[in-house]
Amino acid sequence: MQTVLCNNDVLYGILNYARKPISHLSLNPSLSRKAKQMPNKARVAIKVFDLDRSIAFYTRCLNFKLVEFQPDAGIAYIRDSDDELVLLASPHLEDPRSLLDEPRQVFKPGDTLDFFVDTFETQHARLVEDGLTDMRVEENERGERKLLVTDPNGYHFAFVIPVKRSPEAMITAYAGLSDDIAAALDGLTEADLDLERAPNEWSIRQIIHHLALSTSLSLMSIETVLVNPGSVFVRPPHDQEKWVEVLDYKHRPIGTSLALISAVQAHITQLLRSVPNSWDHSIVRKFTTEDEGHTATLSDMITIQIEHTTAHLDEIRQTRKIHHR
């Protein structure tokens, strides 16, 4: 399935980056009063085969924290390594989306979830001590290190130590993303754009349209942090999968999306060079005025755009390799 960056920006969409209060009672009367009154609702759900086994794995091996377990309802709430509330849903819960605030994101076995971390050495040592064999450490050509762990349900957790870049190096990396995209697509035919890594994953065409969306959505928040640092930026949520379907990512030609990506990235690159000394400036980003929000610096925003794009380009390269293109 899709690779999702699950640091603070997983809620801003991806990526990431949307959310809204829901009456749990009206949706599922079997839920306890305690669950209905939880002050922070989950916006992400993970469908698992065995709730008890999954809870044990996430709390012991990944060091996530169990917040609440409701075996009769077939759900549990955990906090992940970014302190985000996550709903674990057993198979008999048909629609976990009904229990989530926007932006609702439901993952399925086979999906990859990326977390940005400062270090994973202690975690790696603990996993080795627990006898986990389905994991590995990788370093890519950018010097980025990842601890890749597969859970009992088939999810792939990637704990990523991002490359530390100077402001100028970040600008250079960001400015080169359009060329990186062109290189990843070089030589592909129109028919090749419909290739997928595996059934039910996004095609190359859908990935490009998704990158156009994420790139364009980043523009106003980046301009806001440059012009009004310290302010609150409210952006309406969007249901990522609904946009993929309604906006016909599956069939549309990619030319306009490529042009949009190139134009927005060139515009932002010019801004970064024209407004210096802004890398530590921040804003609070929200999806509603009642949302607690997250603080994000300009450096965070550019890093997310670089890592998000390169992660999807890696998917395109893997797709090409699988299909010998």
Side-chain angles (χ1 to χ4, degrees):
M1 294 300 185
Q2 311 316 319
T3 297
V4 181
L5 300 176
C6 290
N7 58 5
N8 287 345
D9 256 44
V10 69
L11 304 174
Y12 294 96
I14 60 239
L15 32 101
N16 2 314
Y17 97 80
R19 319 161 192 207
K20 150 173 123 188
I22 295 175
S23 169
H24 287 180
L25 179 60
S26 64
L27 295 169
N28 190 339
S30 69
L31 293 181
S32 72
R33 172 171 292 276
K34 181 177 180 183
K36 288 178 286 179
Q37 294 181 344
M38 289 182 67
N40 297 314
K41 296 184 177 70
R43 283 143 175 163
V44 170
I46 297 178
K47 302 179 78 170
V48 299
F49 299 127
D50 186 317
L51 207 51
D52 292 285
R53 188 181 181 195
S54 297
I55 291 172
F57 181 86
Y58 295 146
T59 55
R60 186 187 73 248
C61 295
L62 301 187
N63 206 30
F64 294 173
K65 296 177 176 62
L66 178 64
V67 176
E68 183 167 354
F69 181 26
Q70 298 184 29
D72 292 340
I75 62 172
Y77 291 92
I78 60 172
R79 288 199 179 275
D80 65 22
S81 59
D82 292 316
D83 204 34
E84 299 293 346
L85 195 64
V86 176
L87 172 69
L88 301 183
S90 59
H92 72 263
L93 186 63
E94 293 183 1
D95 185 17
R97 291 170 58 87
S98 64
L99 303 179
L100 302 176
D101 270 357
E102 294 185 7
R104 302 180 182 99
Q105 184 84 36
V106 179
F107 296 109
K108 299 175 290 298
D111 285 351
T112 299
L113 289 79
D114 287 359
F115 294 81
F116 285 164
V117 295
D118 294 325
T119 179
F120 51 63
E121 274 69 17
T122 301
Q123 185 175 38
H124 181 252
R126 184 174 62 251
L127 292 169
V128 171
E129 185 177 336
D130 287 341
L132 186 70
T133 57
D134 201 353
M135 65 173 178
R136 65 186 186 277
V137 176
E138 291 183 352
E139 182 170 339
N140 60 26
E141 66 279 0
R142 300 183 298 275
E144 181 182 84
R145 297 182 66 216
K146 294 183 180 182
L147 170 63
L148 303 169
V149 181
T150 300
D151 86 335
N153 306 284
Y155 291 101
H156 309 293
F157 290 83
F159 297 90
V160 183
I161 301 177
V163 179
K164 302 296 184 184
R165 296 183 176 95
S166 66
E168 185 54 42
M170 264 201 282
I171 293 175
T172 300
Y174 181 81
L177 290 177
S178 291
D179 289 339
D180 294 341
I181 293 171
L185 299 176
D186 186 46
L188 292 178
T189 66
E190 185 68 19
D192 290 337
L193 297 177
D194 297 320
L195 297 173
E196 304 169 346
R197 286 192 305 171
N200 299 318
E201 291 203 9
W202 284 351
S203 66
I204 295 173
R205 183 188 307 277
Q206 289 170 307
I207 289 173
I208 295 301
H209 290 312
H210 168 70
L211 289 177
L213 173 65
S214 63
T215 301
S216 58
L217 286 178
S218 73
L219 176 57
M220 279 306 297
S221 58
I222 289 173
E223 290 194 341
T224 300
V225 77
L226 290 172
V227 176
N228 292 316
S231 63
V232 174
F233 179 82
V234 181
R235 197 204 79 195
H238 78 280
D239 183 326
Q240 178 171 280
E241 292 302 329
K242 183 177 181 180
W243 285 47
V244 170
E245 180 180 352
V246 174
L247 299 183
D248 196 22
Y249 285 17
K250 190 171 184 178
H251 303 105
R252 283 169 41 215
I254 64 172
T256 54
S257 284
L258 290 173
L260 177 60
I261 293 169
S262 181
V264 172
Q265 289 177 349
H267 177 70
I268 290 176
T269 299
Q270 185 183 68
L271 292 177
L272 296 176
R273 289 180 170 144
S274 300
V275 188
N277 304 318
S278 299
W279 291 99
D280 293 328
H281 291 178
S282 65
I283 55 175
V284 176
R285 302 200 290 187
K286 299 184 177 186
F287 288 98
T288 70
T289 54
E290 293 78 20
D291 190 358
E292 183 177 327
H294 287 273
T295 299
T297 66
L298 175 62
S299 179
D300 293 335
M301 297 178 196
I302 299 302
T303 297
I304 288 297
Q305 287 299 306
I306 294 170
E307 300 300 335
H308 179 232
T309 301
T310 53
H312 280 301
L313 293 185
D314 285 343
E315 292 177 345
I316 291 175
R317 295 185 190 100
Q318 292 164 18
T319 303
R320 296 189 65 160
K321 184 175 181 180
I322 290 169
H323 296 279
H324 307 288
R325 294 296 194 277

